[in-house]
Amino acid sequence: WMYLKYWGISLVVLLPMHTQAIGYSSNYLSCMNSAGSSSEILASCMKTELSKQDDRLKSLFKQTLDLYTDKQQKAQKKYQKQWFKLRDQQCGESNKSVSDDYKMKYYNCALKQTVNRANMLEKQSYRL
């Protein structure tokens, strides 16, 4: 039992290193913690993180394309473009210029969806 206990502890210690790339960046978390209640600063933190996560998603998408045939790659690229359009539509991108609150709602929504999709692709890329 003692060995299992130590093995479990070492597993818990090692897991965060393996999954560090999954999720929000540490800069984003720091930015959000220091923003206080300022909608403008919060929206700025989210906008910066969304840009990073979009880049991460695009990079992971390129990696996972190797899993598909040429014909499937075409379909995946089309789906990816549709996914971005749908995300922006669902999150109300067209309303983000109305106010800081709408801007925050858009970035929050888009960021969550993008991180979820990137995490999913990252898990797929581990299987490569």
Side-chain angles (χ1 to χ4, degrees), residues 12-111:
V12 170
V13 170
L14 292 174
L15 274 177
M17 286 190 284
H18 178 66
T19 60
Q20 202 167 17
I22 291 180
Y24 301 99
S25 71
S26 57
N27 289 346
Y28 172 66
L29 300 175
S30 298
C31 186
M32 292 297 281
N33 286 333
S34 63
S37 60
S38 167
S39 302
E40 190 177 338
I41 296 171
L42 289 167
S44 175
C45 294
M46 291 178 196
K47 180 181 180 181
T48 301
E49 183 68 7
L50 179 59
S51 176
K52 288 179 186 175
Q53 293 294 335
D54 274 346
D55 290 345
R56 177 176 161 241
L57 176 59
K58 289 171 187 171
S59 173
L60 288 164
F61 178 74
K62 286 178 185 174
Q63 288 175 30
T64 58
L65 277 180
D66 293 338
L67 298 171
Y68 302 102
T69 64
D70 288 346
K71 187 177 179 181
Q72 291 172 326
Q73 284 182 10
K74 253 185 163 175
Q76 287 298 315
K77 288 176 183 177
K78 184 178 178 183
Y79 174 79
Q80 184 75 349
K81 283 181 183 176
Q82 289 173 337
W83 182 87
F84 275 110
K85 285 181 185 176
L86 186 62
R87 176 202 69 183
D88 289 342
Q89 186 181 13
Q90 287 176 338
C91 293
E93 183 187 33
S94 59
N95 295 328
K96 76 179 182 183
S97 61
V98 173
S99 70
D100 283 338
D101 284 342
Y102 275 108
K103 193 182 293 185
M104 241 176 49
K105 284 179 187 177
Y106 165 73
Y107 288 126
N108 187 39
C109 173
L111 189 52

